[in-house]
Amino acid sequence: MDDYATSMTDSKFYEAYLRALITGDRKAGRDAVADALDSGIDARTYLTEICYAAMEHVRSLYKDDKLTVVQMGLATRLNRSLVDRLAGELEHMPANGKKALIFCGNDEPEELGGQICAELFEADGWDVMFVGGDVPNDEILEMVGNHRPDLLIHFATLPQQLPNVRALIDYLRDVNSCPGMQVMCCGGVFKRAEGLAEEIGADLWADSAAAAVTVAEANPHRKASVEQQTVGKMRRVRKQAAKREKLAA
């Protein structure tokens, strides 16, 4: 099986889907999805283990100059259309009264992963807003203030965007405008760098979109501590000490 696929899914379905993306064959893509669903693979598994993995592989081939711009464009748009179709196959739970606000890195696999993450949370009963990538922190803060989500998710942030994510988490902690909201980081760089999400102050972290829903449901009240935030830790410690002194005065 290709390194980008997981052992949970039969390799023939992954390979057929990947081949359809690379060639831009829309009919073959639809047939690959239909064959997998007919064989008993559920839509959730296909979304998380085939669609996302295949898009990461396509990007890798493109970066290695093994695919043209045209091939990359065909694969991206075909993949998105099939993800939309699979999302319609997900079984939806009753509304649970919780709200999630989802952002992601500004590249195709990250956008796709964020979309899949949004679909899975919505299927689990959450009220979801998926904004995408390249959103300024001030606009995120405005959305948090307006919509008061229970969970703010950063999916697969790109390495160069980490300072902005850290700054946003710091600011959310400082102003405490939505004290009940949890911040989750998952996928992408957070999967590759173990402990990174915890170090920058996230309340929750998960390896993938599939795991994110499970983690959120299992930890509805977990909040980060100052001690866990080793990135910029001394600055946080000083700020916490200053707040305590002000309250004691």
Side-chain angles (χ1 to χ4, degrees):
M1 183 178 296
D2 190 283
D3 289 342
Y4 288 85
T6 75
S7 58
M8 291 179 64
T9 305
D10 193 311
S11 62
K12 69 179 181 181
F13 297 117
Y14 173 79
E15 290 163 3
Y17 189 78
L18 179 63
R19 186 164 52 250
L21 294 189
I22 291 174
T23 59
D25 191 328
R26 297 174 64 84
K27 182 180 184 303
R30 291 191 294 270
D31 289 345
V33 171
D35 289 345
L37 296 181
D38 289 343
S39 77
I41 294 177
D42 62 275
R44 181 180 295 261
T45 299
Y46 203 102
L47 281 169
T48 58
E49 296 190 17
I50 294 182
C51 294
Y52 186 68
M55 197 64 236
E56 285 194 311
H57 192 174
V58 167
R59 180 174 66 172
S60 179
L61 292 174
Y62 177 70
K63 287 186 173 181
D64 291 341
D65 294 323
K66 295 179 180 178
L67 292 181
T68 65
V69 173
V70 168
Q71 288 174 307
M72 180 65 178
L74 288 170
T76 297
R77 283 151 186 81
L78 175 55
N79 199 30
R80 279 298 183 95
S81 69
L82 294 172
V83 164
D84 287 340
R85 177 194 166 181
L86 282 158
E89 298 288 336
L90 291 172
E91 180 181 356
H92 282 68
M93 303 293 290
N96 60 19
K98 297 179 180 179
K99 294 186 287 186
L101 186 57
I102 303 177
F103 299 85
C104 63
N106 191 32
D107 204 352
E108 179 53 32
E110 288 74 21
E111 285 267 2
L112 181 74
Q115 178 183 347
I116 292 173
C117 190
E119 300 290 1
L120 296 182
F121 269 91
E122 188 172 349
D124 202 54
W126 291 66
D127 179 5
V128 177
M129 297 188 72
F130 173 49
V131 183
D134 202 23
V135 182
N137 279 354
D138 60 342
E139 294 190 22
I140 296 178
L141 290 167
E142 183 178 357
M143 290 195 71
V144 166
N146 290 338
H147 298 284
R148 316 293 291 180
D150 298 280
L151 184 63
L152 174 68
I153 302 174
H154 286 277
F155 186 89
T157 300
L158 296 171
Q160 61 269 29
Q161 295 170 335
L162 276 172
N164 284 338
V165 176
R166 185 176 65 199
L168 176 64
I169 292 176
D170 282 347
Y171 189 79
L172 287 168
R173 298 285 183 260
D174 287 344
V175 300
N176 201 32
S177 62
C178 195
M181 183 186 73
Q182 293 174 296
V183 178
M184 172 185 281
C185 294
C186 66
V189 66
F190 300 113
K191 179 180 180 179
R192 296 189 294 272
E194 185 178 354
L196 176 61
E198 184 176 13
E199 289 173 0
I200 66 173
D203 302 307
L204 303 172
W205 49 94
D207 287 346
S208 64
V213 176
T214 301
V215 170
E217 294 288 1
N219 301 276
H221 305 297
R222 189 188 189 283
K223 299 291 284 186
S225 65
V226 174
E227 288 73 22
Q228 85 174 39
Q229 302 169 43
T230 58
V231 175
K233 181 175 179 179
M234 291 311 299
R235 184 171 69 86
R236 292 185 180 88
V237 169
R238 288 194 296 270
K239 290 175 73 173
Q240 290 293 330
K243 286 182 178 179
R244 288 194 294 270
E245 290 177 5
K246 184 175 180 180
L247 289 173

